[in-house]
Amino acid sequence: MRVASPAYLHSAVLAAEFRFLDMTFMGHKGEGCAEENQDRVLHRRIFSNEGELHLMAVADGVSRCPRGGDVAQYIVEHLANDPLLDSSRLPLAILVRKYLRELHEGFYQEFAGRDEMLESASTLSVAILENGVAHCFWVGDSPIFLAQENHHRFVTSQISTPDLCGRLLIDCFGASAPFQTKYSKVQMAPGDVLMVATDGAIRSLEDISSMLNAYGPTQDLLDFIQRQAPKSDYFDDASLVLAQRLT
């Protein structure tokens, strides 16, 4: 599901401008997995006294549990609608981590006694763009990438570190996992691209660098990803939201 938010008036504060693209599509995951897209993707504009913020998020419901897609839905619906800022003027990173911790606690309270929800889980990766700074938060293995222009080519690095031991997911939202959110802050220069994705959309740094240099941060890139996935007999749900800084 893609959740869109209403447009807001531009702030009088001089701010970086961005261009956004997103996609999500259902995979073919094989026996034992739900026949549904368990990914959720979000781009939300948030207006504050300091200007306009942009929130980008993906949640990837864990396939081999009863209600992974519903857990992802729960997270993204709250991110799309809850007030994330308050009047305390605390640093943005502290406010967001506090909000995510309270959201996690509220999930267990709301679904107390509903084992099919409490035993299910989702990854979560979030980026909040504050002018030219990207505040990145994650738990699980949905990657966050930064692609920087260098002599008209993109050089890509991964901001997030996956919560994996081998192929085993060791942290996430739900399923009695620790839910220890990680945080990193990066500066984006004009032309740079930030991508928040599920692991079904992008497999490696080499893949995303190659695709970006072939297609750029355009709809053609998203179309290519969707054409490539069905070439395998089995493939995961795939979701991606990207932002390119324009100024």
Side-chain angles (χ1 to χ4, degrees), residues 64-122:
R64 295 187 181 277
C65 61
R67 303 287 290 275
D70 290 338
V71 177
Q73 176 80 11
Y74 175 89
I75 298 168
V76 167
E77 282 190 349
H78 277 277
L79 285 173
N81 295 291
D82 289 349
L84 302 182
L85 308 179
D86 59 28
S87 59
S88 65
R89 303 191 70 83
L90 288 170
L92 181 62
I94 292 175
L95 284 175
V96 174
R97 295 187 85 166
K98 177 176 179 290
Y99 165 79
L100 292 175
R101 182 174 65 251
E102 291 173 351
L103 179 65
H104 189 245
E105 292 169 354
F107 170 80
Y108 284 97
Q109 294 170 7
E110 182 171 342
F111 295 104
R114 293 182 57 183
D115 291 347
E116 77 281 4
M117 285 294 287
L118 299 184
E119 293 171 1
S120 299
S122 175

Side-chain angles (χ1 to χ4, degrees), residues 146-230:
L146 177 66
Q148 298 173 292
E149 278 196 311
N150 184 11
H151 300 292
H152 305 293
R153 292 185 64 79
F154 286 104
V155 178
T156 308
S157 57
Q158 184 164 344
I159 305 303
S160 59
T161 303
D163 288 314
L164 294 173
C165 181
R167 298 184 63 183
L168 178 66
L169 190 66
I170 57 174
D171 204 359
C172 54
F173 186 109
S176 300
F179 194 68
Q180 296 176 348
T181 56
K182 293 78 183 173
Y183 171 72
S184 184
K185 180 174 71 173
V186 294
Q187 184 74 40
M188 293 179 67
D192 288 354
V193 177
L194 190 80
M195 289 159 287
V196 185
T198 60
D199 61 347
I202 299 173
R203 293 294 184 182
S204 69
L205 283 174
E206 292 75 14
D207 284 350
I208 191 59
S209 293
S210 174
M211 290 187 292
L212 272 172
N213 287 317
Y215 297 100
T218 67
Q219 184 62 44
D220 289 343
L221 170 67
L222 307 189
D223 292 344
F224 176 77
I225 294 172
Q226 293 191 61
R227 290 196 307 271
Q228 287 295 105

Side-chain angles (χ1 to χ4, degrees), residues 19-97:
R19 179 166 58 105
F20 295 89
L21 288 168
D22 61 70
M23 71 168 196
T24 184
F25 62 90
M26 187 175 75
H28 181 220
K29 291 168 282 189
E31 186 177 353
C33 298
E35 285 297 316
E36 63 175 345
N37 186 349
Q38 295 179 303
D39 287 357
R40 302 294 186 271
V41 61
L42 171 67
H43 168 226
R44 174 186 177 185
R45 291 177 172 85
I46 303 171
F47 191 72
S48 72
N49 292 333
E50 286 72 34
E52 190 176 61
L53 307 178
H54 294 274
L55 184 151
M56 307 158 58
V58 298
D60 182 354
V62 176
S63 296
R64 295 187 181 277
C65 61
R67 303 287 290 275
D70 290 338
V71 177
Q73 176 80 11
Y74 175 89
I75 298 168
V76 167
E77 282 190 349
H78 277 277
L79 285 173
N81 295 291
D82 289 349
L84 302 182
L85 308 179
D86 59 28
S87 59
S88 65
R89 303 191 70 83
L90 288 170
L92 181 62
I94 292 175
L95 284 175
V96 174
R97 295 187 85 166

